[in-house]
Amino acid sequence: MTASFAAPSLATGPLATVPLATVPLAAALPAPAAGHAQPDAGARHQTPHLTAALSQAESLCIKCGFCLPACPTYRETGIEAASPRGRLDLMYAAAQGRVTLAAIEPQLALCLGCQACETACPSGIRFHDMLEAERSDVAALRATASGRRLGMLLLDRLLLSPRLLRAAVWGLWLYQRSGVQALLRATRLLDWLAPPLGRLERRMPPLRRPHRWRRTLAALTVPERGRAALLAGCIMDAAFGEVHAATAYVLRANGIALAEVPGQTCCGALHLHAGDAERARQLARRNVAAFEAAGNAPIVVNSAGCGAAMKEYGRLLAADPVWAERARRLAARVHDVAEYLAGLTLAPPHVAVPCAVAYDDPCHLVHAQKIRAQPRDLLSRIPGLRLVPLREAEMCCGSAGSYSAQQPEMSRRLLNRKMAHIGASGADVVATGNPGCLFQLRLGAREQGLRVRVVHPVELLAESYGRPPSGA
């Protein structure tokens, strides 16, 4: 037996026609029409986090279909089970004990977590709450698997050790620059010795030379009119020091000094997305304590994913009586760098940056934080810079944290689609505000031979205030 689902037609725009699919009913079991699911004892045992998230959901899916054209994986596959409403049905089925968690995991693992469905949803369903709960249950089931242990070891040891992470980035940069990478690729040695490692290595993005951004702060001397705290983070600190340096430069050019925040750590976003909610809570508590000790200055974040995670600290720690209110207060202080700068009266940028720029929206900025206009407005202030339209700018590029490594086929399909739009835009520069997006788009530019710079918007703004370009 099959069930057909039809989305409402969209009158205009690139999403006007999207192929819909007829799928087996077992792949898209309907959720209850009213009320919340009442799972049996076995289902509660298998899906405790998911069951709780579904039962606490503030609204239910009304099957309107607006999420379908917004979902990158549905657009690529046309399969209902690869859409947000199809995945919700599968989650309800697992919570009710009608299917096993293992049976639905392949479709749920294909989800990018981009939250585009939440932007489209008229019911206001927080799909990512259910997705993160499901991944916590999957993580518990796979706790003894070797791949799972290796992944969590990388998250717990590498990301949480600034020294180890910086050493790893330096090592990878030297590997690329020394010619070893070119030799291994030419001989296909890794493909012969370890095919999975070879496939992963080919997905490695080009790295810039690591930048010791803290050394640049002492040279910035401008009359001070305010202070802000910067989230250094993990990946941003180790691999995108030039973005931190550009952020500090733009802030200082506008009289904003950076407060020191000793004790801060990784935001916990990658742990949460990997299903380790408890570790994410531990990291959130550490950051709350660290930023509280540094005063009440606004917290500026130049990574969309990190900013989205920190703005959710109040929800993440809502059940903790000691930390809940402190987390809510801290979350209210968090601002994306474009959001923060847009709220200031900025000194006019005075150095021309002649280029055509396509701005690509990071998912966790446009969908999670609802920040669209501010980055474009800041870029439009730069003399000589011309913003060019980018088709599907709000569609995920396929990076999505560790998704590109875990789902390489779908990630590549989405990247190829994105790079085709970038090539058609005629842009010299692509600007985007998230480390995963920067890595992914640089990889795509290299693979397809596009001569475009891929930078954070704040880097272009820093150039317009007189800072030399940070990379090509």
Side-chain angles (χ1 to χ4, degrees):
M1 182 176 179
T2 62
S4 298
F5 297 86
S9 61
L10 301 177
T12 60
L15 306 184
T17 57
V18 179
L20 302 180
T22 298
V23 298
L25 183 61
L29 295 166
H36 296 298
Q38 298 297 323
D40 62 24
R44 282 197 297 270
H45 177 72
Q46 186 187 52
T47 61
H49 299 96
L50 177 58
T51 299
L54 290 171
S55 66
Q56 294 165 9
E58 297 175 358
S59 54
L60 292 173
C61 178
I62 60 174
K63 309 301 181 193
C64 67
F66 282 115
C67 62
L68 300 184
C71 177
T73 54
Y74 178 81
R75 290 183 62 125
E76 287 295 316
T77 65
I79 298 173
E80 176 74 19
S83 75
R85 71 179 183 184
R87 290 178 176 128
L88 277 174
D89 288 342
L90 294 176
M91 290 182 197
Y92 274 108
Q96 293 169 332
R98 291 183 284 149
V99 295
T100 66
L101 193 58
I104 70 170
E105 169 57 13
Q107 283 299 346
L108 295 177
L110 199 62
C111 178
L112 294 139
C114 68
Q115 296 180 235
C117 56
E118 297 183 23
T119 297
C121 181
S123 299
I125 293 174
R126 288 172 55 89
F127 181 84
H128 74 282
D129 287 347
M130 276 71 88
L131 182 67
E132 289 168 359
E134 181 270 342
R135 288 180 176 173
S136 292
D137 290 332
V138 169
L141 289 177
R142 296 179 176 174
T144 58
S146 59
R148 165 74 183 170
R149 290 200 304 270
L150 177 60
M152 298 315 296
L153 180 66
L154 290 174
L155 285 175
D156 284 345
R157 296 292 179 264
L158 192 60
L159 290 188
L160 303 187
S161 171
R163 287 186 178 181
L164 280 178
L165 190 55
R166 280 195 292 269
V169 172
W170 272 103
L172 290 174
W173 178 78
L174 289 171
Y175 165 74
Q176 291 181 344
R177 297 285 293 181
S178 65
V180 174
Q181 182 186 58
L183 177 63
L184 288 179
R185 289 188 174 184
T187 60
R188 302 185 68 85
L189 186 61
L190 283 179
D191 292 330
W192 180 64
L193 293 176
L197 185 59
R199 288 192 295 271
L200 184 62
E201 196 278 339
R202 285 195 296 275
R203 300 296 296 164
M204 184 187 300
L207 297 174
R208 291 183 185 177
R209 180 189 177 95
H211 186 89
R212 293 184 175 89
W213 62 276
R214 291 176 178 82
R215 295 182 178 181
T216 67
L217 299 183
L220 304 176
T221 55
V222 176
E224 184 178 319
R225 65 183 176 105
R227 296 180 74 79
L230 177 69
L231 175 73
C234 48
I235 299 295
M236 290 298 296
D237 188 40
F240 292 94
E242 69 278 3
V243 177
H244 281 342
T247 301
Y249 194 95
V250 171
L251 291 174
R252 204 69 172 124
N254 287 280
I256 306 298
L258 287 180
E260 289 288 331
V261 188
Q264 64 166 297
T265 186
C266 170
C267 69
L270 290 176
H271 293 80
L272 192 60
H273 301 332
D276 193 353
E278 186 50 45
R279 175 66 78 181
R281 293 187 188 97
Q282 293 172 7
L283 296 174
R285 294 184 188 102
R286 286 175 57 183
N287 277 326
V288 169
F291 282 98
E292 281 180 342
N296 294 317
I299 301 168
V300 176
V301 185
N302 51 27
S303 162
C306 300
M310 293 186 73
K311 288 181 177 182
E312 290 275 287
Y313 276 1
R315 283 182 174 268
L316 184 63
L317 297 177
D320 189 324
V322 176
W323 292 90
E325 182 56 34
R326 295 168 66 182
R328 281 193 290 270
R329 287 198 300 268
L330 181 103
R333 293 167 51 195
V334 175
H335 306 274
D336 179 76
V337 62
E339 178 185 27
Y340 178 72
L341 291 171
L344 299 178
T345 301
L346 297 181
H350 57 277
V351 177
V353 184
C355 58
V357 177
Y359 177 73
D360 191 53
D361 294 273
C363 297
H364 281 89
L365 197 60
V366 67
H367 299 304
Q369 301 186 57
K370 311 304 181 188
I371 295 174
R372 292 178 177 81
Q374 296 93 322
R376 292 175 171 85
D377 175 63
L378 292 171
L379 290 171
S380 69
R381 303 186 195 189
I382 298 175
L385 187 149
R386 178 171 58 92
L387 274 173
V388 299
L390 178 63
R391 187 182 178 193
E392 296 184 353
E394 295 188 5
M395 192 69 70
C396 185
C397 65
S399 173
S402 59
Y403 185 91
S404 58
Q406 295 172 340
Q407 301 288 339
E409 180 183 351
M410 180 58 71
S411 176
R412 183 174 292 278
R413 288 169 65 173
L414 296 173
L415 177 59
N416 289 343
R417 184 183 186 120
K418 181 70 71 176
M419 297 315 297
H421 294 326
I422 289 173
S425 73
D428 309 311
V429 178
V430 180
T432 191
N434 193 61
C437 305
L438 290 166
F439 276 145
Q440 181 85 332
L441 297 182
R442 288 174 186 172
L443 174 65
R446 183 189 68 186
E447 288 182 341
Q448 300 194 19
L450 289 181
R451 297 183 63 82
V452 294
R453 283 179 70 199
V454 180
V455 297
H456 195 290
V458 78
E459 294 181 81
L460 296 172
L461 198 57
E463 291 176 34
S464 73
Y465 282 113
R467 186 172 187 267
S470 53

